[in-house]
CSV table of all heavy atoms in Angstrom, one decimal:
chain,number,residue,atom,x,y,z
A,83,LEU,N,1.4,-24.8,-16.7
A,83,LEU,CA,1.7,-23.4,-16.7
A,83,LEU,C,1.3,-22.8,-15.3
A,83,LEU,O,1.6,-21.6,-15.0
A,83,LEU,CB,1.0,-22.7,-17.8
A,83,LEU,CG,1.5,-23.0,-19.2
A,83,LEU,CD1,0.3,-22.4,-20.3
A,83,LEU,CD2,2.7,-22.4,-19.5
A,84,ILE,N,0.4,-23.5,-14.7
A,84,ILE,CA,-0.2,-23.0,-13.4
A,84,ILE,C,0.1,-23.7,-12.2
A,84,ILE,O,-0.6,-23.6,-11.2
A,84,ILE,CB,-1.8,-22.8,-13.6
A,84,ILE,CG1,-2.4,-24.1,-14.0
A,84,ILE,CG2,-2.0,-21.6,-14.7
A,84,ILE,CD1,-4.0,-23.9,-14.1
A,85,GLY,N,1.1,-24.7,-12.3
A,85,GLY,CA,1.5,-25.4,-11.0
A,85,GLY,C,0.5,-26.4,-10.7
A,85,GLY,O,0.3,-26.7,-9.5
A,86,ALA,N,-0.3,-27.0,-11.6
A,86,ALA,CA,-1.2,-28.1,-11.3
A,86,ALA,C,-0.5,-29.4,-11.6
A,86,ALA,O,0.4,-29.5,-12.5
A,86,ALA,CB,-2.5,-27.9,-12.0
A,87,ARG,N,-1.1,-30.5,-11.0
A,87,ARG,CA,-0.6,-31.9,-11.4
A,87,ARG,C,-1.4,-32.4,-12.5
A,87,ARG,O,-2.5,-32.0,-12.8
A,87,ARG,CB,-0.7,-32.7,-10.2
A,87,ARG,CG,0.0,-32.2,-8.9
A,87,ARG,CD,-0.5,-33.1,-7.7
A,87,ARG,NE,0.0,-32.5,-6.4
A,87,ARG,CZ,-0.7,-31.6,-5.7
A,87,ARG,NH1,-2.0,-31.3,-6.1
A,87,ARG,NH2,-0.3,-31.1,-4.7
A,88,PRO,N,-0.9,-33.4,-13.3
A,88,PRO,CA,-1.7,-34.0,-14.3
A,88,PRO,C,-3.0,-34.5,-13.7
A,88,PRO,O,-3.1,-35.1,-12.6
A,88,PRO,CB,-0.8,-35.3,-14.7
A,88,PRO,CG,0.6,-34.8,-14.3
A,88,PRO,CD,0.5,-34.1,-13.1
A,89,GLY,N,-4.1,-34.3,-14.5
A,89,GLY,CA,-5.3,-34.7,-14.0
A,89,GLY,C,-6.1,-33.8,-13.2
A,89,GLY,O,-7.3,-34.0,-12.7
A,90,GLU,N,-5.5,-32.5,-12.9
A,90,GLU,CA,-6.2,-31.6,-12.1
A,90,GLU,C,-6.8,-30.4,-13.0
A,90,GLU,O,-7.7,-29.7,-12.4
A,90,GLU,CB,-5.2,-30.9,-11.1
A,90,GLU,CG,-4.7,-31.9,-10.0
A,90,GLU,CD,-3.8,-31.2,-8.9
A,90,GLU,OE1,-3.0,-30.3,-9.3
A,90,GLU,OE2,-4.0,-31.5,-7.8
A,91,VAL,N,-6.6,-30.5,-14.2
A,91,VAL,CA,-7.1,-29.4,-15.1
A,91,VAL,C,-7.8,-29.9,-16.2
A,91,VAL,O,-7.3,-31.0,-16.9
A,91,VAL,CB,-6.0,-28.4,-15.5
A,91,VAL,CG1,-6.6,-27.3,-16.5
A,91,VAL,CG2,-5.2,-27.8,-14.4
A,92,MET,N,-9.0,-29.4,-16.5
A,92,MET,CA,-9.7,-29.8,-17.7
A,92,MET,C,-10.2,-28.5,-18.5
A,92,MET,O,-10.5,-27.5,-17.9
A,92,MET,CB,-10.9,-30.4,-17.2
A,92,MET,CG,-11.8,-31.2,-18.2
A,92,MET,SD,-11.0,-32.7,-18.9
A,92,MET,CE,-11.5,-34.0,-17.7
A,93,VAL,N,-10.2,-28.6,-19.9
A,93,VAL,CA,-10.7,-27.5,-20.7
A,93,VAL,C,-12.1,-27.9,-20.9
A,93,VAL,O,-12.5,-29.0,-21.3
A,93,VAL,CB,-9.9,-27.4,-21.9
A,93,VAL,CG1,-10.5,-26.3,-22.8
A,93,VAL,CG2,-8.4,-27.1,-21.7
A,94,ALA,N,-12.9,-26.9,-20.7
A,94,ALA,CA,-14.4,-27.0,-20.8
A,94,ALA,C,-15.1,-25.7,-20.8
A,94,ALA,O,-14.8,-24.8,-20.0
A,94,ALA,CB,-15.0,-27.9,-19.7
A,95,ASP,N,-16.2,-25.5,-21.6
A,95,ASP,CA,-17.1,-24.5,-21.5
A,95,ASP,C,-16.4,-23.1,-21.4
A,95,ASP,O,-15.3,-22.9,-21.8
A,95,ASP,CB,-18.1,-24.7,-20.3
A,95,ASP,CG,-18.8,-26.0,-20.5
A,95,ASP,OD1,-19.4,-26.2,-21.5
A,95,ASP,OD2,-18.7,-26.9,-19.6
A,96,SER,N,-17.1,-22.1,-20.7
A,96,SER,CA,-16.5,-20.8,-20.6
A,96,SER,C,-16.1,-20.7,-19.1
A,96,SER,O,-16.6,-21.5,-18.3
A,96,SER,CB,-17.6,-19.7,-21.0
A,96,SER,OG,-18.7,-19.8,-20.1
A,97,THR,N,-15.4,-19.6,-18.9
A,97,THR,CA,-15.0,-19.3,-17.5
A,97,THR,C,-16.2,-19.2,-16.6
A,97,THR,O,-16.3,-19.6,-15.5
A,97,THR,CB,-14.1,-17.9,-17.5
A,97,THR,OG1,-13.1,-18.0,-18.4
A,97,THR,CG2,-13.6,-17.7,-16.1
A,98,SER,N,-17.2,-18.4,-17.1
A,98,SER,CA,-18.5,-18.2,-16.3
A,98,SER,C,-19.1,-19.6,-16.0
A,98,SER,O,-19.5,-19.8,-14.8
A,98,SER,CB,-19.4,-17.4,-17.1
A,98,SER,OG,-18.8,-16.1,-17.3
A,99,VAL,N,-19.3,-20.5,-16.9
A,99,VAL,CA,-19.9,-21.7,-16.7
A,99,VAL,C,-19.0,-22.6,-15.8
A,99,VAL,O,-19.6,-23.2,-14.8
A,99,VAL,CB,-20.2,-22.5,-18.1
A,99,VAL,CG1,-20.7,-23.9,-17.8
A,99,VAL,CG2,-21.3,-21.7,-18.8
A,100,ASN,N,-17.7,-22.5,-15.9
A,100,ASN,CA,-16.9,-23.3,-14.9
A,100,ASN,C,-17.0,-22.7,-13.6
A,100,ASN,O,-16.9,-23.4,-12.6
A,100,ASN,CB,-15.5,-23.2,-15.5
A,100,ASN,CG,-15.3,-24.1,-16.6
A,100,ASN,OD1,-16.1,-25.1,-16.9
A,100,ASN,ND2,-14.2,-23.8,-17.5
A,101,LEU,N,-17.1,-21.3,-13.4
A,101,LEU,CA,-17.4,-20.8,-12.0
A,101,LEU,C,-18.5,-21.3,-11.5
A,101,LEU,O,-18.5,-21.7,-10.2
A,101,LEU,CB,-17.3,-19.2,-12.2
A,101,LEU,CG,-16.2,-18.4,-12.4
A,101,LEU,CD1,-16.4,-17.1,-12.8
A,101,LEU,CD2,-15.3,-18.4,-11.0
A,102,PHE,N,-19.6,-21.5,-12.2
A,102,PHE,CA,-20.8,-22.0,-11.7
A,102,PHE,C,-20.6,-23.5,-11.2
A,102,PHE,O,-21.0,-23.7,-10.0
A,102,PHE,CB,-22.0,-22.1,-12.8
A,102,PHE,CG,-23.2,-22.4,-12.2
A,102,PHE,CD1,-24.2,-21.5,-11.7
A,102,PHE,CD2,-23.7,-23.7,-12.3
A,102,PHE,CE1,-25.4,-21.8,-11.3
A,102,PHE,CE2,-25.0,-24.1,-11.7
A,102,PHE,CZ,-25.8,-23.2,-11.2
A,103,LYS,N,-19.9,-24.3,-11.9
A,103,LYS,CA,-19.7,-25.6,-11.5
A,103,LYS,C,-18.9,-25.6,-10.1
A,103,LYS,O,-19.2,-26.3,-9.2
A,103,LYS,CB,-18.8,-26.4,-12.5
A,103,LYS,CG,-19.4,-26.5,-13.9
A,103,LYS,CD,-18.4,-27.1,-14.8
A,103,LYS,CE,-18.8,-27.0,-16.2
A,103,LYS,NZ,-17.6,-27.4,-17.1
A,104,LEU,N,-17.9,-24.8,-10.0
A,104,LEU,CA,-16.9,-24.8,-8.9
A,104,LEU,C,-17.5,-24.1,-7.7
A,104,LEU,O,-17.4,-24.6,-6.6
A,104,LEU,CB,-15.5,-24.3,-9.3
A,104,LEU,CG,-14.8,-25.0,-10.3
A,104,LEU,CD1,-13.4,-24.5,-10.4
A,104,LEU,CD2,-14.8,-26.5,-10.1
A,105,ILE,N,-18.3,-23.0,-7.9
A,105,ILE,CA,-18.9,-22.4,-6.7
A,105,ILE,C,-19.9,-23.3,-6.2
A,105,ILE,O,-20.1,-23.6,-4.9
A,105,ILE,CB,-19.5,-21.1,-7.1
A,105,ILE,CG1,-18.4,-20.1,-7.6
A,105,ILE,CG2,-20.2,-20.5,-5.9
A,105,ILE,CD1,-18.9,-18.7,-8.2
A,106,ALA,N,-20.7,-24.0,-7.0
A,106,ALA,CA,-21.7,-24.9,-6.5
A,106,ALA,C,-21.0,-26.1,-5.7
A,106,ALA,O,-21.5,-26.5,-4.8
A,106,ALA,CB,-22.6,-25.5,-7.6
A,107,ALA,N,-20.1,-26.6,-6.3
A,107,ALA,CA,-19.3,-27.8,-5.8
A,107,ALA,C,-18.8,-27.3,-4.5
A,107,ALA,O,-18.8,-28.0,-3.5
A,107,ALA,CB,-18.2,-28.2,-6.6
A,108,ALA,N,-18.2,-26.2,-4.3
A,108,ALA,CA,-17.7,-25.7,-3.0
A,108,ALA,C,-18.7,-25.6,-1.9
A,108,ALA,O,-18.5,-25.9,-0.8
A,108,ALA,CB,-17.0,-24.3,-3.2
A,109,LEU,N,-19.9,-25.0,-2.3
A,109,LEU,CA,-21.0,-24.9,-1.2
A,109,LEU,C,-21.4,-26.3,-0.8
A,109,LEU,O,-21.8,-26.5,0.4
A,109,LEU,CB,-22.2,-24.1,-2.0
A,109,LEU,CG,-22.0,-22.6,-2.3
A,109,LEU,CD1,-23.2,-21.9,-2.8
A,109,LEU,CD2,-21.3,-21.8,-1.1
A,110,ARG,N,-21.4,-27.2,-1.8
A,110,ARG,CA,-21.7,-28.6,-1.5
A,110,ARG,C,-20.7,-29.2,-0.4
A,110,ARG,O,-21.1,-30.1,0.5
A,110,ARG,CB,-21.8,-29.4,-2.7
A,110,ARG,CG,-22.3,-30.8,-2.5
A,110,ARG,CD,-22.0,-31.4,-3.9
A,110,ARG,NE,-22.3,-32.9,-3.7
A,110,ARG,CZ,-23.5,-33.5,-4.2
A,110,ARG,NH1,-24.4,-32.7,-4.8
A,110,ARG,NH2,-23.7,-34.8,-3.9
A,111,LEU,N,-19.4,-28.8,-0.6
A,111,LEU,CA,-18.3,-29.3,0.3
A,111,LEU,C,-18.4,-28.6,1.7
A,111,LEU,O,-17.6,-29.0,2.6
A,111,LEU,CB,-17.0,-29.0,-0.4
A,111,LEU,CG,-16.8,-30.1,-1.6
A,111,LEU,CD1,-15.6,-29.6,-2.4
A,111,LEU,CD2,-16.5,-31.5,-1.1
A,112,ARG,N,-19.1,-27.5,1.7
A,112,ARG,CA,-19.2,-26.8,3.0
A,112,ARG,C,-20.6,-26.6,3.4
A,112,ARG,O,-21.1,-25.3,3.4
A,112,ARG,CB,-18.4,-25.5,3.0
A,112,ARG,CG,-16.9,-25.5,2.8
A,112,ARG,CD,-16.2,-26.0,4.1
A,112,ARG,NE,-14.8,-26.0,4.0
A,112,ARG,CZ,-14.1,-27.1,3.5
A,112,ARG,NH1,-14.8,-28.2,3.1
A,112,ARG,NH2,-12.8,-27.1,3.5
A,113,PRO,N,-21.4,-27.5,3.5
A,113,PRO,CA,-22.9,-27.5,3.7
A,113,PRO,C,-23.4,-26.7,4.9
A,113,PRO,O,-24.4,-26.1,4.9
A,113,PRO,CB,-23.4,-28.9,3.8
A,113,PRO,CG,-22.2,-29.8,4.3
A,113,PRO,CD,-20.9,-29.0,3.7
A,114,ASP,N,-22.4,-26.5,5.9
A,114,ASP,CA,-22.9,-25.9,7.1
A,114,ASP,C,-22.5,-24.3,7.1
A,114,ASP,O,-22.8,-23.7,8.0
A,114,ASP,CB,-22.3,-26.5,8.3
A,114,ASP,CG,-22.7,-27.9,8.5
A,114,ASP,OD1,-23.8,-28.2,8.1
A,114,ASP,OD2,-21.9,-28.6,9.0
A,115,ARG,N,-22.0,-23.9,6.0
A,115,ARG,CA,-21.6,-22.5,5.8
A,115,ARG,C,-22.3,-21.8,4.8
A,115,ARG,O,-22.7,-22.5,3.8
A,115,ARG,CB,-20.0,-22.4,5.5
A,115,ARG,CG,-19.2,-23.0,6.8
A,115,ARG,CD,-17.8,-23.1,6.6
A,115,ARG,NE,-17.0,-23.3,7.8
A,115,ARG,CZ,-15.9,-22.5,8.1
A,115,ARG,NH1,-15.6,-21.5,7.3
A,115,ARG,NH2,-15.4,-22.7,9.2
A,116,ARG,N,-22.6,-20.5,4.9
A,116,ARG,CA,-23.5,-19.9,4.1
A,116,ARG,C,-23.0,-18.7,3.3
A,116,ARG,O,-23.7,-17.9,2.6
A,116,ARG,CB,-24.8,-19.5,4.8
A,116,ARG,CG,-24.5,-18.8,6.0
A,116,ARG,CD,-25.7,-18.1,6.5
A,116,ARG,NE,-25.4,-16.8,7.1
A,116,ARG,CZ,-25.5,-15.7,6.3
A,116,ARG,NH1,-25.9,-15.7,5.2
A,116,ARG,NH2,-24.9,-14.5,6.9
A,117,VAL,N,-21.6,-18.3,3.4
A,117,VAL,CA,-21.2,-17.2,2.9
A,117,VAL,C,-20.1,-17.4,1.8
A,117,VAL,O,-19.2,-18.3,1.9
A,117,VAL,CB,-20.6,-16.3,4.0
A,117,VAL,CG1,-19.9,-15.1,3.4
A,117,VAL,CG2,-21.6,-15.9,4.9
A,118,ILE,N,-20.2,-16.7,0.7
A,118,ILE,CA,-19.2,-16.6,-0.3
A,118,ILE,C,-18.5,-15.2,-0.2
A,118,ILE,O,-19.3,-14.2,-0.2
A,118,ILE,CB,-19.7,-16.8,-1.7
A,118,ILE,CG1,-20.4,-18.2,-1.9
A,118,ILE,CG2,-18.6,-16.7,-2.8
A,118,ILE,CD1,-21.4,-18.2,-3.1
A,119,VAL,N,-17.3,-15.2,0.0
A,119,VAL,CA,-16.7,-14.0,0.2
A,119,VAL,C,-15.9,-13.6,-1.2
A,119,VAL,O,-15.2,-14.5,-1.8
A,119,VAL,CB,-15.4,-13.9,1.3
A,119,VAL,CG1,-14.5,-12.8,1.1
A,119,VAL,CG2,-16.1,-13.9,2.7
A,120,SER,N,-16.1,-12.4,-1.8
A,120,SER,CA,-15.3,-12.0,-2.9
A,120,SER,C,-15.1,-10.5,-2.8
A,120,SER,O,-15.4,-9.8,-1.8
A,120,SER,CB,-16.2,-12.3,-4.2
A,120,SER,OG,-15.4,-12.1,-5.3
A,121,GLU,N,-14.5,-9.9,-3.8
A,121,GLU,CA,-14.2,-8.6,-3.9
A,121,GLU,C,-15.2,-7.8,-4.6
A,121,GLU,O,-15.6,-8.2,-5.7
A,121,GLU,CB,-12.8,-8.3,-4.5
A,121,GLU,CG,-11.7,-8.7,-3.6
A,121,GLU,CD,-10.4,-8.4,-4.3
A,121,GLU,OE1,-10.2,-9.0,-5.4
A,121,GLU,OE2,-9.5,-7.6,-3.7
A,122,ARG,N,-15.7,-6.6,-4.2
A,122,ARG,CA,-16.5,-5.7,-5.0
A,122,ARG,C,-15.9,-5.4,-6.3
A,122,ARG,O,-16.6,-5.3,-7.4
A,122,ARG,CB,-16.7,-4.5,-4.2
A,122,ARG,CG,-17.7,-3.5,-4.9
A,122,ARG,CD,-18.0,-2.3,-3.9
A,122,ARG,NE,-18.7,-2.9,-2.8
A,122,ARG,CZ,-20.0,-3.1,-2.7
A,122,ARG,NH1,-20.7,-3.1,-3.8
A,122,ARG,NH2,-20.5,-3.7,-1.6
A,123,GLU,N,-14.5,-5.4,-6.4
A,123,GLU,CA,-13.9,-5.0,-7.5
A,123,GLU,C,-13.4,-6.3,-8.4
A,123,GLU,O,-12.7,-6.2,-9.4
A,123,GLU,CB,-12.5,-4.3,-7.3
A,123,GLU,CG,-12.7,-2.9,-6.7
A,123,GLU,CD,-13.4,-1.9,-7.7
A,123,GLU,OE1,-12.9,-1.9,-8.8
A,123,GLU,OE2,-14.3,-1.2,-7.3
A,124,ASN,N,-13.9,-7.5,-8.1
A,124,ASN,CA,-13.7,-8.7,-8.8
A,124,ASN,C,-14.3,-8.5,-10.3
A,124,ASN,O,-15.2,-7.7,-10.4
A,124,ASN,CB,-14.3,-9.8,-8.1
A,124,ASN,CG,-13.8,-11.2,-8.7
A,124,ASN,OD1,-13.0,-11.3,-9.6
A,124,ASN,ND2,-14.0,-12.3,-7.9
A,125,PHE,N,-13.9,-9.3,-11.1
A,125,PHE,CA,-14.5,-9.3,-12.5
A,125,PHE,C,-16.0,-9.6,-12.3
A,125,PHE,O,-16.3,-10.6,-11.7
A,125,PHE,CB,-13.9,-10.2,-13.5
A,125,PHE,CG,-14.4,-10.0,-14.9
A,125,PHE,CD1,-14.2,-8.9,-15.7
A,125,PHE,CD2,-15.1,-10.9,-15.5
A,125,PHE,CE1,-14.6,-8.7,-16.9
A,125,PHE,CE2,-15.8,-10.8,-16.7
A,125,PHE,CZ,-15.5,-9.7,-17.4
A,126,PRO,N,-16.8,-8.8,-12.9
A,126,PRO,CA,-18.3,-9.0,-12.7
A,126,PRO,C,-18.8,-10.4,-12.8
A,126,PRO,O,-19.7,-10.9,-12.1
A,126,PRO,CB,-19.0,-8.0,-13.7
A,126,PRO,CG,-18.0,-7.0,-13.7
A,126,PRO,CD,-16.7,-7.6,-13.8
A,127,THR,N,-18.3,-11.1,-13.9
A,127,THR,CA,-18.9,-12.5,-14.1
A,127,THR,C,-18.7,-13.4,-12.9
A,127,THR,O,-19.6,-14.1,-12.5
A,127,THR,CB,-18.3,-13.1,-15.3
A,127,THR,OG1,-19.4,-13.8,-16.0
A,127,THR,CG2,-17.3,-14.2,-15.1
A,128,ASP,N,-17.6,-13.2,-12.2
A,128,ASP,CA,-17.4,-14.0,-10.8
A,128,ASP,C,-18.6,-13.7,-9.9
A,128,ASP,O,-19.1,-14.6,-9.3
A,128,ASP,CB,-16.1,-13.7,-10.3
A,128,ASP,CG,-14.9,-14.0,-11.2
A,128,ASP,OD1,-14.8,-13.4,-12.4
A,128,ASP,OD2,-14.1,-15.0,-10.9
A,129,LEU,N,-18.9,-12.4,-9.8
A,129,LEU,CA,-19.9,-11.9,-8.9
A,129,LEU,C,-21.3,-12.4,-9.4
A,129,LEU,O,-22.2,-12.9,-8.6
A,129,LEU,CB,-19.8,-10.4,-8.7
A,129,LEU,CG,-18.5,-9.9,-8.2
A,129,LEU,CD1,-18.6,-8.4,-8.0
A,129,LEU,CD2,-18.0,-10.6,-6.9
A,130,TYR,N,-21.6,-12.2,-10.6
A,130,TYR,CA,-22.8,-12.5,-11.3
A,130,TYR,C,-23.2,-14.1,-11.1
A,130,TYR,O,-24.2,-14.5,-10.9
A,130,TYR,CB,-22.8,-12.2,-12.7
A,130,TYR,CG,-22.6,-10.7,-13.1
A,130,TYR,CD1,-22.5,-10.4,-14.4
A,130,TYR,CD2,-22.8,-9.8,-12.2
A,130,TYR,CE1,-22.3,-9.0,-14.8
A,130,TYR,CE2,-22.5,-8.4,-12.5
A,130,TYR,CZ,-22.4,-8.1,-13.8
A,130,TYR,OH,-22.2,-6.8,-14.2
A,131,VAL,N,-22.1,-14.8,-11.4
A,131,VAL,CA,-22.4,-16.3,-11.3
A,131,VAL,C,-22.7,-16.7,-9.9
A,131,VAL,O,-23.7,-17.5,-9.6
A,131,VAL,CB,-21.1,-17.1,-11.8
A,131,VAL,CG1,-21.3,-18.6,-11.5
A,131,VAL,CG2,-21.0,-16.8,-13.3
A,132,ALA,N,-22.0,-16.1,-9.0
A,132,ALA,CA,-22.3,-16.5,-7.5
A,132,ALA,C,-23.8,-15.9,-7.2
A,132,ALA,O,-24.5,-16.7,-6.5
A,132,ALA,CB,-21.3,-15.8,-6.6
A,133,GLN,N,-24.2,-14.7,-7.7
A,133,GLN,CA,-25.4,-14.1,-7.5
A,133,GLN,C,-26.5,-15.1,-8.0
A,133,GLN,O,-27.5,-15.3,-7.4
A,133,GLN,CB,-25.6,-12.7,-7.9
A,133,GLN,CG,-24.8,-11.8,-7.2
A,133,GLN,CD,-24.5,-10.4,-7.9
A,133,GLN,OE1,-25.2,-10.1,-8.9
A,133,GLN,NE2,-23.5,-9.7,-7.6
A,134,GLY,N,-26.3,-15.5,-9.2
A,134,GLY,CA,-27.3,-16.4,-9.8
A,134,GLY,C,-27.4,-17.7,-9.2
A,134,GLY,O,-28.6,-18.2,-9.0
A,135,LEU,N,-26.4,-18.3,-8.7
A,135,LEU,CA,-26.4,-19.6,-8.0
A,135,LEU,C,-27.1,-19.3,-6.6
A,135,LEU,O,-28.0,-20.2,-6.2
A,135,LEU,CB,-25.0,-20.1,-7.8
A,135,LEU,CG,-24.9,-21.4,-7.0
A,135,LEU,CD1,-25.6,-22.5,-7.7
A,135,LEU,CD2,-23.5,-21.7,-6.6
A,136,ILE,N,-26.9,-18.3,-5.9
A,136,ILE,CA,-27.4,-18.1,-4.6
A,136,ILE,C,-29.0,-17.9,-4.9
A,136,ILE,O,-29.8,-18.5,-4.1
A,136,ILE,CB,-26.9,-16.8,-4.1
A,136,ILE,CG1,-25.5,-17.1,-3.5
A,136,ILE,CG2,-27.8,-16.3,-2.9
A,136,ILE,CD1,-24.7,-15.8,-3.1
A,137,GLU,N,-29.4,-17.2,-5.9
A,137,GLU,CA,-30.8,-17.0,-6.1
A,137,GLU,C,-31.5,-18.3,-6.5
A,137,GLU,O,-32.5,-18.8,-5.9
A,137,GLU,CB,-31.0,-16.0,-7.3
A,137,GLU,CG,-32.5,-15.7,-7.5
A,137,GLU,CD,-32.7,-14.6,-8.6
A,137,GLU,OE1,-31.6,-13.9,-8.8
A,137,GLU,OE2,-33.7,-14.5,-9.0
A,138,LEU,N,-30.7,-19.2,-7.3
A,138,LEU,CA,-31.3,-20.5,-7.6
A,138,LEU,C,-31.4,-21.3,-6.4
A,138,LEU,O,-32.4,-22.2,-6.3
A,138,LEU,CB,-30.3,-21.2,-8.6
A,138,LEU,CG,-30.7,-22.5,-9.1
A,138,LEU,CD1,-32.0,-22.5,-10.1
A,138,LEU,CD2,-29.6,-23.2,-9.9
A,139,LEU,N,-30.5,-21.2,-5.5
A,139,LEU,CA,-30.6,-22.1,-4.2
A,139,LEU,C,-31.6,-21.5,-3.2
A,139,LEU,O,-31.6,-22.1,-2.0
A,139,LEU,CB,-29.2,-22.2,-3.7
A,139,LEU,CG,-28.2,-22.9,-4.5
A,139,LEU,CD1,-26.7,-23.0,-3.8
A,139,LEU,CD2,-28.6,-24.4,-4.8
A,140,GLY,N,-32.2,-20.4,-3.6
A,140,GLY,CA,-33.3,-20.0,-2.6
A,140,GLY,C,-32.9,-18.8,-1.7
A,140,GLY,O,-33.6,-18.5,-0.8
A,141,GLY,N,-31.7,-18.3,-1.9
A,141,GLY,CA,-31.3,-17.2,-1.2
A,141,GLY,C,-30.8,-17.4,0.3
A,141,GLY,O,-30.7,-16.6,1.1
A,142,ARG,N,-30.5,-18.7,0.5
A,142,ARG,CA,-30.0,-19.1,1.9
A,142,ARG,C,-28.5,-18.6,2.0
A,142,ARG,O,-28.0,-18.6,3.1
A,142,ARG,CB,-30.0,-20.7,2.0
A,142,ARG,CG,-31.3,-21.3,2.0
A,142,ARG,CD,-31.3,-22.7,2.4
A,142,ARG,NE,-30.3,-23.5,1.7
A,142,ARG,CZ,-30.4,-23.9,0.5
A,142,ARG,NH1,-31.5,-23.8,-0.2
A,142,ARG,NH2,-29.4,-24.7,0.0
A,143,HIS,N,-27.9,-18.4,0.9
A,143,HIS,CA,-26.4,-18.0,1.0
A,143,HIS,C,-26.2,-16.5,0.8
A,143,HIS,O,-27.2,-15.8,0.3
A,143,HIS,CB,-25.6,-18.8,-0.1
A,143,HIS,CG,-25.7,-20.2,0.1
A,143,HIS,ND1,-26.7,-21.0,-0.3
A,143,HIS,CD2,-24.7,-21.0,0.6
A,143,HIS,CE1,-26.4,-22.3,0.0
A,143,HIS,NE2,-25.3,-22.3,0.5
A,144,GLU,N,-25.1,-16.0,1.1
A,144,GLU,CA,-24.8,-14.6,1.0
A,144,GLU,C,-23.6,-14.3,0.3
A,144,GLU,O,-22.5,-15.0,0.5
A,144,GLU,CB,-24.7,-14.0,2.5
A,144,GLU,CG,-24.2,-12.6,2.5
A,144,GLU,CD,-23.7,-12.1,3.9
A,144,GLU,OE1,-24.1,-12.9,4.9
A,144,GLU,OE2,-23.0,-11.2,4.1
A,145,LEU,N,-23.6,-13.5,-0.6
A,145,LEU,CA,-22.3,-13.0,-1.2
A,145,LEU,C,-21.7,-11.7,-0.5
A,145,LEU,O,-22.4,-10.7,-0.5
A,145,LEU,CB,-22.4,-12.7,-2.7
A,145,LEU,CG,-21.3,-12.1,-3.4
A,145,LEU,CD1,-20.1,-13.1,-3.6
A,145,LEU,CD2,-21.7,-11.7,-4.9
A,146,ARG,N,-20.6,-11.9,0.2
A,146,ARG,CA,-20.1,-10.8,1.1
A,146,ARG,C,-18.9,-10.2,0.3
A,146,ARG,O,-17.9,-10.9,0.1
A,146,ARG,CB,-19.6,-11.4,2.3
A,146,ARG,CG,-19.2,-10.5,3.4
A,146,ARG,CD,-18.7,-11.2,4.7
A,146,ARG,NE,-19.9,-11.9,5.5
A,146,ARG,CZ,-19.6,-12.7,6.5
A,146,ARG,NH1,-18.4,-13.1,6.8
A,146,ARG,NH2,-20.6,-13.2,7.1
Side-chain angles (χ1 to χ4, degrees):
Chain A
L83 293 169
I84 57 176
R87 304 171 190 92
E90 289 186 321
V91 178
M92 188 73 88
V93 175
D95 300 307
S96 66
T97 305
S98 301
V99 170
N100 288 336
L101 281 165
F102 187 88
K103 299 173 195 171
L104 295 190
I105 298 172
L109 295 183
R110 189 192 172 101
L111 288 167
R112 291 288 181 277
D114 299 331
R115 294 173 166 232
R116 51 164 218 94
V117 173
I118 301 167
V119 166
S120 192
E121 285 180 304
R122 182 170 300 279
E123 292 293 316
N124 201 346
F125 186 69
T127 219
D128 299 66
L129 307 181
Y130 298 167
V131 169
Q133 289 161 24
L135 176 64
I136 287 172
E137 189 174 338
L138 182 68
L139 294 178
R142 298 189 310 279
H143 298 84
E144 174 196 339
L145 177 61
R146 188 179 288 170

